[in-house]
Amino acid sequence: MKKSILFLFILGINWALAQSPSLQKVKYVKVIQKVCSNQKGVQLVLKEVLLDSRCPDGVRCIWAGEIKVVVSVYEGKKLVNEEELVISGKKDLVNEVWFKKYLPSSQKNIKSITVFPYPKEGVTIDPTAYYIKLGYNK
């Protein structure tokens, strides 16, 4: 009897804590360094990386660091805005608000803002390899 009650208790907890996979599915959009000439509407482009002080993999750091980038906004082929953003754990809310101004409504529920590639100890990153990955719930 005790085993049955324990089993039902564990089953009940699992049911209560279960979350719908469709609600938790995160989709991604990349902000790359090229302007797509065929794209209509608003387009975000990573213009340049000004500073990457993130703590490299394989190194112990006191501070996690941050990355400073310039993101351009194009309407068709016309430059509409250019903004310098500092991406770190502390500034995410400010960056989310900025990105939401330019993203379509289906992508405004931002869950993460990450710049790739992440630095590794002893490896130099090619400046053209950088991109921003925005995670959002639909």
Side-chain angles (χ1 to χ4, degrees), residues 34-40 43 76-77:
K34 296 179 185 174
V35 178
C36 181
S37 59
N38 297 336
Q39 185 173 336
K40 295 184 180 188
Q43 186 176 172
K77 294 180 183 180

Side-chain angles (χ1 to χ4, degrees), residues 19-86:
Q19 296 178 2
S20 170
S22 62
L23 294 176
Q24 297 300 312
K25 188 166 185 167
V26 177
K27 296 189 177 196
Y28 297 94
V29 63
K30 283 184 178 181
V31 178
I32 60 173
Q33 296 186 37
K34 296 179 185 174
V35 178
C36 181
S37 59
N38 297 336
Q39 185 173 336
K40 295 184 180 188
V42 175
Q43 186 176 172
L44 298 171
V45 176
L46 175 60
K47 181 178 178 185
E48 103 184 86
V49 175
L50 300 173
L51 171 73
D52 189 354
S53 67
R54 297 175 293 174
C55 183
D57 282 340
V59 176
R60 296 188 100 182
C61 301
I62 297 172
W63 184 53
E66 60 190 19
I67 186 164
K68 189 182 291 188
V69 297
V70 177
V71 179
S72 302
V73 181
Y74 289 87
E75 182 79 44
K77 294 180 183 180
K78 181 182 174 191
L79 179 64
V80 176
N81 190 11
E82 206 164 76
E83 189 76 23
E84 188 176 297
L85 303 172
V86 176

